[in-house]
Amino acid sequence: MSEIICKVSGRGYGGEITGEVVLEEDRIRTIRIDSHQETPGIGDLAIPIICGRIIEHNAIDVDAVSGATVTSGAVKKLVTKAIQESGGDPQTFRRGMKTVVRSHQQLQVDVLVAGAGIGGYCAAIEAVDQGAKTLLLEKLDIIGGTAIVAGDAIMASNSYLNREQGDESREMADWWYECQEKHYNISYEQLLYVAKHAGELVDWIHERSGVDFQLGFGGGSPKKWSHRPVFLPGEADNNHGTPRFIHGLDNYYQSHGGILMTGTRVTELLIDERGAVIGVKAQSRTQDYTIYAKGGVILATGGYENNKELVKRFAPDCLHMRNNGYTAGDTGDGIFLCEQAGAKMAYAGYLMGSWNHMDKVGSYGIEPLFFKHKQKCIEVNAKMERFYNENSGPIKEKTAFAKDGTREFYVIFDSSFEAETLDRFDAAARGKAMWKSESIEGLAEQIGKSPLALKSTVAHWNQMAAAGLDTDFGNALIAPLDQPPFYMARVYEMSTGSYGGAAINISAQVVRCDGSPIDGLYATGELANGNFFYRCYICGGSSFAMSGVFGRTAAMHATGRIRL
């Protein structure tokens, strides 16, 4: 057939994808994506990769881009549609099962870093800055790890932006410790270490990534400690800065001699007769590697929240939580590697709680009301009882949800909203995204809960509202809930990561159960956050601060071993 140009569209991960596919004879000549709504730093980067694979192999059954399988599948469907619309047979563009001929390669480096997220890049760049031959491995085809989809803040005092306020690192560490309920698993020494070095980290990232930061509050912090990238034109929300500074760090790393290999997973640690880690075995699609690392191995492989068996093991009460930010790579690889070396595990039994979300109401534009108008609603658990101050802020909210044992939550509104909002409520109710009833008891009946319990809860709330004082939980915005009809939506606990993994010391060395360090093995990031978080994730940059500070610390210690 002669050249045929097909305009096609389909649904991706974030919305509609439109594009153009050019076919000629038996070849897929070009694929051009004109518009999409895929996740910045993940789906948008996967599009050119999957298009390149399809064109290179002239096939639609190529490997998906790891970490972006939905986007990859959407592009493949677009090309399939184009072939069909041109009168061709998609089966002729399938390779079928191919035998992969694997080869083996042995490498020698000074420092090996596994995991190209914020912690991994900070470790790898610090190692390069120290003059070490450094290899950074990422098992996915896309760099960034969870950092790409997380908020973009780094929590710090004493940076170039807030140094004039004085050193508030101890105040920051004290506040962080209080938020974690001073749990026995939390290391105040390590919290203080992060707080003391986080300002330096911000300056360091600013210099190497070229990203300017701005100060703000975050995670309920009492001071402006959150450093977020200054928005550029077209950046609509606060997580768009993360891909920018991750890729800024990657540019610095590779331009200064660092080696990056994506699509390459560490499968095993190399351990000598003394129990020291001297390298790794790794695999890509076509290669097996044996890699020796003179200074050591730094693991920054992320969390375990995408591995249900590990969630059952470390956080069994959190199996109900939904994904609000973790990525396909968070499968606990580093935990298995550290256990191979005899590491101690540090965990508290919880996943990293995120903002909670109303279920099924996104298409009705209702969820923002949940955050904006909490004075016009109450939240109840499975017992149909209030369990916290609805306006207490993100820290206390997430802690309250974690403490409550019912794992089932609902938000209730009355009809004291403007007509436009009530129209949205009614549309959601017709679409079975909300429940509607002329009585409070009717709401409970529809979800199979105790009508008397919910009636009693709302009656008590209204009595307190009439008196102008919430004597139960101190909600200062208390207002009557007494105008029918009434509406209810399910609220789900969301997870943006995991807590727990390898225990480390102040030098980022992974330690054994007796506290002794495993020579040559380091960890940072979500893999090593068990001594930093308990039930409440203080968003606003705490995780980035911990990951970056200990990534750099690990690299300094590992490069020091080279010179011994």
Side-chain angles (χ1 to χ4, degrees):
M1 59 181 176
S2 58
E3 182 178 278
I4 298 176
I5 301 174
C6 298
K7 299 283 188 179
V8 287
S9 64
R11 183 160 185 84
Y13 181 84
E16 186 178 46
I17 300 177
T18 64
E20 178 182 280
V21 179
V22 178
L23 304 166
E24 184 178 4
E25 298 300 335
D26 59 349
R27 298 293 303 175
I28 302 169
R29 288 298 183 193
T30 61
I31 305 167
R32 189 184 75 211
I33 301 302
D34 297 322
S35 66
H36 68 83
Q37 302 173 52
E38 302 306 272
T39 306
I42 299 181
D44 63 341
L45 298 183
I47 287 173
I49 296 174
I50 190 65
C51 290
R53 288 178 183 175
I54 292 171
I55 292 170
E56 178 187 356
H57 296 285
N58 198 44
I60 54 177
D61 59 345
V62 295
D63 289 340
V65 177
S66 54
T69 54
V70 175
T71 301
S72 300
V75 172
K76 290 195 277 187
K77 286 180 181 178
L78 291 187
V79 177
T80 300
K81 182 188 287 188
I83 294 168
Q84 291 171 329
E85 291 181 358
S86 70
D89 181 3
Q91 288 300 122
T92 63
F93 292 90
R94 294 185 182 276
R95 298 179 300 166
M97 295 297 293
K98 296 286 185 179
T99 301
V100 177
V101 179
R102 303 190 66 80
S103 59
H104 179 268
Q105 188 174 358
Q106 182 172 305
L107 303 173
Q108 178 75 53
V109 297
D110 293 329
V111 174
L112 182 137
V113 182
I118 184 70
Y121 268 105
C122 287
I125 290 174
E126 184 62 46
V128 165
D129 284 352
Q130 297 287 335
K133 181 181 179 181
T134 306
L135 174 60
L136 175 59
L137 302 182
E138 169 54 54
K139 75 172 183 178
L140 300 182
D141 295 316
I142 300 169
I143 63 171
T146 304
I148 283 292
V149 293
D152 54 1
I154 304 172
M155 186 171 287
S157 77
N158 207 27
S159 75
Y160 75 99
L161 288 177
N162 58 6
R163 192 161 289 126
E164 290 183 357
Q165 297 171 201
D167 185 356
E168 297 172 335
S169 56
R170 186 169 293 276
E171 182 181 356
M172 190 173 104
D174 289 345
W175 170 74
W176 189 330
Y177 195 43
E178 289 284 347
C179 290
Q180 306 312 315
E181 304 170 62
K182 297 183 178 180
H183 190 261
Y184 64 84
N185 216 50
I186 307 301
S187 168
Y188 181 81
E189 177 192 22
Q190 293 185 11
L191 291 186
L192 184 59
Y193 182 82
V194 169
K196 284 185 175 296
H197 292 277
E200 176 188 339
L201 173 71
V202 170
D203 296 354
W204 185 89
I205 289 178
H206 167 64
E207 293 167 0
R208 285 156 180 77
S209 69
V211 170
D212 288 321
F213 289 93
Q214 58 189 337
L215 276 175
F217 293 99
S221 62
K223 300 283 184 70
K224 287 186 176 182
W225 292 326
S226 287
H227 295 67
R228 287 190 165 88
V230 174
F231 293 169
L232 295 180
E235 290 183 342
D237 56 55
N238 69 356
N239 72 348
H240 282 170
T242 310
R244 187 153 40 89
F245 79 67
I246 283 288
H247 289 283
L249 291 176
D250 179 62
N251 289 337
Y252 180 94
Y253 171 69
Q254 295 200 60
S255 67
H256 285 72
I259 305 166
L260 170 69
M261 291 167 52
T262 57
T264 306
R265 181 173 67 94
V266 174
T267 58
E268 184 181 339
L269 297 178
L270 300 177
I271 303 173
D272 68 14
E273 65 280 357
R274 300 178 295 109
V277 173
I278 57 174
V280 304
K281 290 185 178 181
Q283 289 183 341
S284 68
R285 290 183 181 83
T286 59
Q287 288 264 15
D288 296 319
Y289 297 96
T290 299
I291 308 170
Y292 293 95
K294 184 178 179 182
V297 172
I298 302 171
L299 299 179
T301 52
Y304 59 84
E305 56 276 13
N306 247 333
N307 185 322
K308 292 303 180 185
E309 291 306 311
L310 286 180
V311 174
K312 287 179 184 178
R313 177 179 164 191
F314 292 126
D317 291 335
C318 297
L319 286 164
H320 64 289
M321 295 177 76
R322 296 186 174 188
N323 180 359
N324 190 39
Y326 54 83
T327 67
D330 291 326
T331 54
D333 297 26
I335 289 176
F336 297 120
L337 294 170
C338 288
E339 287 187 325
Q340 177 200 345
K344 174 184 177 182
M345 293 292 116
Y347 60 95
Y350 293 91
L351 292 182
M352 186 182 290
S354 176
W355 295 101
N356 301 309
H357 289 267
M358 295 167 65
D359 188 34
K360 301 179 182 178
V361 299
S363 61
Y364 301 98
I366 291 171
E367 186 156 28
L369 298 169
F370 176 44
F371 300 108
K372 185 177 180 181
H373 295 298
K374 283 201 170 185
Q375 69 271 30
K376 292 190 175 184
C377 70
I378 64 170
E379 291 176 72
V380 297
N381 58 20
K383 298 177 181 178
M384 299 290 99
E385 299 171 348
R386 288 180 69 220
F387 57 99
Y388 85 116
N389 175 354
E390 292 87 347
N391 280 282
S392 57
I395 298 297
K396 292 182 179 178
E397 176 189 21
K398 288 182 279 189
T399 302
F401 272 70
K403 285 181 176 180
D404 188 273
T406 66
R407 303 294 178 232
E408 200 173 329
F409 309 99
Y410 301 88
V411 57
I412 301 168
F413 302 96
D414 70 359
S415 293
S416 60
F417 289 87
E418 62 277 4
E420 180 183 354
T421 298
L422 293 177
D423 288 343
R424 293 181 182 184
F425 283 178
D426 287 332
R430 290 192 298 271
K432 300 187 184 304
M434 294 182 78
W435 294 274
K436 177 182 178 181
S437 175
E438 291 297 322
S439 69
I440 289 292
E441 303 96 298
L443 293 177
E445 289 170 353
Q446 290 181 58
I447 61 172
K449 303 300 180 183
S450 169
L452 291 178
L454 184 57
K455 180 180 180 181
S456 175
T457 294
V458 175
H460 178 55
W461 168 267
N462 285 336
Q463 287 175 353
M464 294 189 296
L469 182 64
D470 177 7
T471 55
D472 292 341
F473 298 103
N475 188 339
L477 299 178
I478 187 169
L481 198 70
D482 57 6
Q483 297 185 35
F486 302 97
Y487 301 86
M488 173 186 282
R490 180 82 183 262
V491 178
Y492 278 94
E493 284 186 276
M494 309 295 288
S495 168
T496 189
S498 58
Y499 295 148
I504 60 174
N505 62 19
I506 205 72
S507 299
Q509 294 173 288
V510 177
V511 299
R512 301 181 178 88
C513 290
D514 64 2
S516 62
I518 299 173
D519 199 21
L521 183 61
Y522 304 85
T524 189
E526 210 171 317
L527 170 62
N529 69 5
N531 289 333
F532 296 86
F533 300 104
Y534 175 37
R535 288 194 283 208
C536 180
Y537 177 52
I538 49 173
C539 54
S542 57
S543 189
F544 276 21
M546 171 262 167
S547 302
V549 167
F550 274 97
R552 293 188 65 206
T553 298
M556 292 176 193
H557 198 278
T559 54
R561 294 179 73 243
I562 300 171
R563 294 186 283 270
L564 293 178

